[in-house]
Amino acid sequence: MEFETLRQEIEALSPADRRAVYAYINLLKSRHQPTDLKDLADAPFVGMWSDRPETEDSTAWVRTLRQTEWNR
């Protein structure tokens, strides 16, 4: 669809439907925004298992977990 045709189609919608189109466009744009790693590092779940003894050697812990779960 050509941009001009799309613009005309949107303009022909009711004000409520135009707002819905704009909201959907904003939703799509927000889904493709890069994640700010600084914000992620401050997330409350980061480090929540840092004091768990079974995860001191995370490689061994994951290996054991996989063997337990995948070899049932």
Side-chain angles (χ1 to χ4, degrees), residues 8-26:
Q8 291 172 357
E9 292 287 334
I10 293 171
E11 284 182 353
L13 295 172
S14 70
D17 288 342
R18 277 196 304 266
R19 284 191 298 273
V21 169
Y22 298 143
Y24 185 65
I25 290 170
N26 286 327

Side-chain angles (χ1 to χ4, degrees), residues 11-68:
E11 284 182 353
L13 295 172
S14 70
D17 288 342
R18 277 196 304 266
R19 284 191 298 273
V21 169
Y22 298 143
Y24 185 65
I25 290 170
N26 286 327
L27 171 70
L28 292 175
K29 285 172 34 179
S30 72
R31 288 177 33 192
H32 298 287
Q33 296 291 328
T35 302
D36 186 352
L37 294 180
K38 182 181 182 315
D39 291 343
L40 182 61
D42 293 336
F45 61 84
V46 173
M48 67 182 181
W49 286 4
S50 63
D51 60 346
R52 303 271 306 254
E54 64 269 20
T55 59
E56 283 181 17
D57 181 356
S58 60
T59 304
W61 178 71
V62 169
R63 186 179 309 112
T64 303
L65 182 65
R66 286 178 178 158
Q67 287 173 347
T68 304

